[in-house]
Amino acid sequence: MNDDLNGILHQSASELLTQLTEGRLTSQTLVEASLARIDSLNGALQAFINVDAKGALAAAKACDRKRRTGQTLGALHGLPVAVKDVSDSVGIPTTKGSRLLAYNRPVRDELSVARLKAAGAIVLGKTNTPAFAFGAICTNDLCGPTANPWDLALSSGGSSGGSAVAVTTGMVPLAQGTDFGGSVRTPAAFCGCVGLRPAPGTIAEPYRPRGWSMLATQGVLARNVRDAALMMDVMQGGHTDDPSSARFISDAYSLKVANLESVNGSRMVRVAASLTLGGAYHVAKPIDTAFSQAVELIGVLLGPVAWQHPEVSEGVAAFKTLRAAESWATFGALVNAQEQHLSASFVWNVRQGEGISASQYLHAENTRTKVYRRFQAFFSQFDLLVLPATSVMPFANTQDDVWEIEGHACETIIDYLACTFLISLVGFPSICLPMPRQPGELPVGVQLVAKPGNERWLLQVAMQLENSGFQHQWPPCVSGPSTERNPYAIGD
């Protein structure tokens, strides 16, 4: 790829949109550059399961024609994006990382995808995920494992690993993901990009079977906070068929956050930090070291940091029960019918919910309510809670799951995600930023949590930290050699 195209792909989504608007760049050129980088890197990284080159180029030409003729344009007009391969996008198979769905072609877009398209975004393809978005390693029987761009032998994180790698390496400026227990934040931390999980309901999902469920949500992966806000501004908003979305105003992630003025105002930001939420989980020593250094810097930038945390007693057990019950309700029939064609990790995850009683489920909901109220009380004293975004460093792609941390055995294969899934449990908005590090060092992520309703403020804080070193770095593989194509790719 020539230097001019590399220069294009190293720009932010906001910068690219400015160039498109001013006529200094065409959507066709931008899409061609993205496709060239995907062609160069995807064989080694396996970020995409399917790439629709033909459809993307046709859409880019249509965007350019619309711009030339002076028609009304959307906020992302002509910008290439990627969608995680669990969300429907018409024209590209939704495999959900399973050979059982290898040729499943959706008849309608997921609402968030429809909103992206309506804003003029061009979906280049579907990014890799473990089967049905369950698993520590972003691999499946169609594609993978998705390699970490900082070390190809290591994991990109699950389950939005493909989206994180696509953004981190400049294949696309923006990518959609989903997050149940940390599936946006973990890959963002492992790969060194921004991962935003909004409060559930912010991005309406009117086609899901359980509209009242508020554990999982969609999210955004980007290379900087401003771009994450830009994508959220398009994807967010309520829908009458999604009851969880009814309480959210439509401008929760308004682009008004784009100003970079200090958030301190007339008083210091009240910041709390915790490494393990009072021993709710264990962390690896490199995480402990990096997190302590990050908190020290945050204290310099935002004001004194109190080492305090909300009480999360029984929260881990409650999340496991609720997650397992939902997983069994969704996938139990599939596991019973097709277990021999499914990964061991996926089967294990789903069967955890087999036999959970109504009493156990409701007890878990009671606990969840208690923890939520403790978080609300905690945030009456603090504005921001700082946590690690992962409990471990990126691990080998040959490793199946995480079974121990610093000599402490994990009871289940999701224990290492407690630093993120406890935030999922209470539904508070959170964003993962890369911690400052020396060039060439593996990324480590820090998680910033705010009270629901303070999303714009959270993004302003995140931008302030980003300007002080909590930011994306380019991995060495962005100029890597071309390797074999994915046999399941569609288009030219």
Side-chain angles (χ1 to χ4, degrees), residues 18-321:
T18 297
Q19 288 206 42
L20 288 166
T21 300
E22 295 176 353
R24 293 184 285 119
L25 176 67
T26 66
S27 179
Q28 181 177 345
T29 298
L30 176 55
V31 167
E32 286 174 345
S34 289
L35 291 172
R37 179 159 288 187
I38 292 170
D39 187 59
S40 172
L41 296 180
N42 199 55
L45 292 173
Q46 296 291 284
F48 282 85
I49 292 183
N50 277 303
V51 177
D52 183 14
K54 185 176 181 180
L57 286 170
K61 292 174 184 177
C63 282
D64 289 335
R65 284 194 301 272
K66 191 172 184 179
R67 190 181 297 278
R68 286 195 303 270
T69 56
Q71 299 181 53
T72 301
L73 307 179
L76 301 181
H77 191 82
L79 196 73
V81 301
V83 172
K84 183 178 177 180
D85 198 21
V86 295
S87 299
D88 287 342
S89 180
V90 172
I92 312 175
T94 300
T95 74
K96 299 187 179 182
S98 172
R99 193 175 295 275
L100 297 173
L101 299 175
Y103 304 104
N104 171 45
R105 290 185 174 268
V107 296
R108 68 181 174 192
D109 292 322
E110 177 69 44
L111 179 60
S112 62
V113 176
R115 286 172 171 171
L116 288 170
K117 290 181 178 179
I122 299 170
V123 178
L124 292 195
K126 306 298 285 297
T127 55
N128 200 25
T129 176
F132 301 97
F134 285 83
I137 303 294
C138 196
T139 192
N140 53 67
D141 54 11
L142 291 174
C143 179
T146 301
N148 191 302
W150 292 91
D151 184 334
L152 300 187
L154 300 181
S155 170
S156 62
S159 63
S160 304
S163 287
V165 171
V167 164
T168 301
T169 59
M171 295 180 184
V172 288
L174 299 170
Q176 177 259 13
T178 62
D179 189 310
F180 197 141
S183 288
V184 163
R185 292 160 289 170
T186 301
F190 276 15
C191 296
C193 65
V194 174
L196 173 61
R197 176 194 156 102
T202 308
I203 303 173
E205 297 182 64
Y207 311 133
R208 57 185 182 153
R210 285 181 297 280
W212 296 101
S213 175
M214 290 191 288
L215 281 176
T217 183
Q218 296 181 44
V220 169
L221 294 118
R223 288 192 296 276
N224 64 54
V225 178
R226 188 192 303 269
D227 285 356
L230 178 71
M231 192 174 189
M232 274 298 307
D233 201 45
V234 169
M235 293 170 61
Q236 56 93 31
H239 191 283
T240 55
D241 287 341
D242 182 355
S244 71
S245 73
R247 62 192 177 94
F248 290 96
I249 59 174
S250 62
D251 66 344
Y253 285 89
S254 167
L255 286 178
K256 294 174 184 176
V257 303
N259 73 78
L260 297 177
E261 296 177 1
S262 170
V263 299
N264 288 1
S266 60
R267 63 172 175 79
M268 302 294 280
V269 178
R270 301 173 300 172
V271 185
S274 178
L275 179 65
T276 66
L277 287 173
Y281 50 86
H282 299 286
V283 299
K285 290 180 180 178
I287 300 294
D288 187 347
T289 300
F291 184 70
S292 297
Q293 294 171 348
V295 171
E296 183 176 353
L297 179 54
I298 289 171
V300 173
L301 297 170
L302 299 181
V305 178
W307 287 90
Q308 296 188 42
H309 60 86
E311 176 60 53
V312 296
S313 296
E314 301 182 44
V316 170
F319 178 84
K320 290 178 179 179
T321 296

Side-chain angles (χ1 to χ4, degrees), residues 198-199 202 248 252-253 257 429 450-460:
T202 308
F248 290 96
Y253 285 89
V257 303
K451 186 176 180 179
N454 287 353
E455 288 87 353
R456 281 183 293 200
W457 179 87
L458 176 63
L459 294 179
Q460 288 178 313

Side-chain angles (χ1 to χ4, degrees), residues 370-392:
K370 292 176 184 177
V371 176
Y372 170 83
R373 289 171 178 164
R374 293 173 194 153
F375 265 73
Q376 287 286 359
F378 183 83
F379 275 89
S380 68
Q381 304 173 54
F382 295 98
D383 304 306
L384 186 72
L385 176 62
V386 183
L387 301 169
T390 62
S391 60
V392 296

